[in-house]
Amino acid sequence: MKLRFTRSEVDPNLCLKVVDDRPLILVPYEDDLFLTGTDPLIYKSKRKLDYGFGMVNCKPVTTSKKLNFKKLCDSDDGPDLGNASKFHKLILALMFLVNSRLDICFAISMLNSDMVEPH
């Protein structure tokens, strides 16, 4: 609110700011946020947010991650799961979590891509 965003009446998580007839939308989520608008507005807002949260001198860090889940096993096909319908039910149940748990979205989408031949 200190950056002059106003909350949406429809969704209180959505914050809006209009500068020179150009909208800037900010949606905070747990320990992250979504910011969209024109590049100059985004850049200025990110700088202000960095300063407001004491993150001006922070540097990004890369993390290692396996992009090919099939290669986690010794065989090229991976282990046989026996009953593919159990895998399907598990993935469908996990898909409901994606809306509230963005931290696991990537992993679930990778597992979802293997639904045709789950190994």
Side-chain angles (χ1 to χ4, degrees):
M1 298 302 115
K2 290 180 182 179
L3 297 178
R4 300 185 193 263
F5 282 90
T6 57
R7 290 183 187 256
S8 165
E9 292 179 17
V10 177
D11 183 353
N13 286 326
L14 187 139
C15 302
L16 177 67
K17 179 179 181 178
V18 179
V19 179
D20 297 328
D21 292 327
R22 294 182 178 161
L24 182 67
I25 299 170
L26 179 126
V27 181
Y29 180 79
E30 290 185 8
D31 63 344
D32 208 353
L33 60 86
F34 176 76
L35 185 64
T36 186
T38 60
D39 285 341
L41 289 177
I42 292 173
Y43 179 78
K44 288 178 186 176
S45 294
K46 284 173 68 173
R47 289 281 116 215
K48 289 179 182 178
L49 287 166
D50 286 347
Y51 179 75
F53 287 99
M55 304 295 283
V56 174
N57 296 321
C58 291
K59 307 256 185 296
V61 176
T62 60
T63 58
S64 61
K65 58 184 170 189
K66 300 272 185 188
L67 294 179
N68 189 345
F69 286 101
K70 289 182 180 180
K71 296 297 180 187
L72 293 175
C73 302
D74 291 336
S75 75
D76 287 339
D77 294 331
D80 184 8
L81 295 179
N83 187 348
S85 67
K86 287 183 182 180
F87 180 81
H88 292 193
K89 288 177 185 178
L90 175 64
I91 296 301
L92 291 174
L94 289 172
M95 291 298 288
F96 284 103
L97 291 176
V98 172
N99 291 329
S100 62
R101 294 285 311 274
L102 295 179
D103 57 324
I104 61 173
C105 184
F106 176 77
I108 293 174
S109 68
M110 292 302 295
L111 291 170
N112 189 30
S113 68
D114 292 328
M115 289 225 354
V116 175
E117 291 183 41
H119 291 286

